[in-house]
Amino acid sequence: NNSTKALEYVDQAVKLNPNEQLAYMNRSDIYGQLNSYDNAAQDLILATTVGKTATTPISKLVEMSDYHFDPVMNALQRSIDAAPRSGMLYYMRASIAMRHFRYGQAIKCYKTIIANQLYEDEGIYYNAALCQFNLQQYGDALANVNKALELKGDNPDSYVLKARIVRYMDDGKKIDEAL
């Protein structure tokens, strides 16, 4: 089988240079061809930790989640278990969960990032608020969107989300606050 032989060669490339992002991405492609999606996802996660930019492997991981959600999420969880202080891993897992409308999973990751101060960025609070809004947790959503606005007060999306939250709080009784 050509894929099996190719896997042997790319394994050798990884052993010779474990800091080569392209080797992990190529090995991920081969694992995908072999229907070994857990390994494919794990290599994309590894590729985010080496090289100059994590954009391409993250994009490929997100794309893979559209067809192989569980293996991607399992690989991310294994990576989190191995590096529990890596905010980026939680963020990737939360972003993928949100993409698939799994707001409960996403908010759990965002809460971990916030509670453990793994990453301080308005986007974390905005996304947490968006998840909580979709879960009808309006009080928590309002607190998080306010924190997002505190960190970056010039984001129009945060103001729109705040208006939506306030509109739905108390069955619309706070409409004046939304305006």
Side-chain angles (χ1 to χ4, degrees):
N1 181 327
N2 288 344
S3 293
T4 304
K5 193 65 174 170
L7 185 59
E8 289 175 24
Y9 292 132
V10 79
D11 277 341
Q12 187 62 31
V14 168
K15 286 177 188 169
L16 291 171
N17 189 356
N19 294 316
E20 176 54 49
Q21 186 180 64
L22 192 56
Y24 290 104
M25 292 178 63
N26 283 325
R27 189 167 70 179
S28 172
D29 288 342
I30 295 168
Y31 278 134
Q33 291 170 351
L34 295 170
N35 297 323
S36 181
Y37 301 111
D38 283 333
N39 288 326
Q42 198 66 53
D43 271 356
L44 288 175
I45 294 165
L46 287 169
T48 67
T49 65
V50 297
K52 295 179 182 173
T53 178
T55 304
T56 302
I58 290 173
S59 295
K60 290 185 77 145
L61 188 68
V62 169
E63 182 181 322
M64 179 187 285
S65 77
D66 289 341
Y67 303 98
H68 308 289
F69 180 81
D70 288 335
V72 168
M73 295 303 268
N74 291 338
L76 281 165
Q77 187 59 55
R78 282 193 306 279
S79 295
I80 288 169
D81 291 344
R85 301 281 311 155
S86 175
M88 179 54 84
L89 294 172
Y90 288 99
Y91 183 77
M92 287 190 298
R93 195 167 200 278
S95 297
I96 290 170
M98 282 183 71
R99 179 182 174 101
H100 295 274
F101 308 103
R102 298 191 184 192
Y103 300 115
Q105 281 182 307
I107 194 62
K108 182 179 175 189
C109 291
Y110 289 128
K111 283 182 176 182
T112 299
I113 293 169
I114 293 166
N116 294 300
Q117 300 174 342
L118 301 178
Y119 194 61
E120 180 80 2
D121 180 76
E122 61 90 20
I124 300 295
Y125 293 95
Y126 173 85
N127 286 335
L130 184 58
C131 288
Q132 289 162 326
F133 174 77
N134 284 302
L135 293 170
Q136 299 179 352
Q137 298 171 354
Y138 302 125
D140 291 337
L142 185 59
N144 277 317
V145 79
N146 283 337
K147 180 66 176 180
L149 286 165
E150 177 185 315
L151 293 172
K152 187 174 184 216
D154 64 349
N155 185 344
D157 291 339
S158 292
Y159 284 103
V160 169
L161 179 57
K162 183 174 181 174
R164 291 173 64 203
I165 293 166
V166 172
R167 179 176 166 219
Y168 285 98
M169 287 180 76
D170 299 326
D171 298 318
K173 294 176 186 163
K174 294 186 177 185
I175 195 72
D176 290 338
E177 188 178 329
L179 302 173

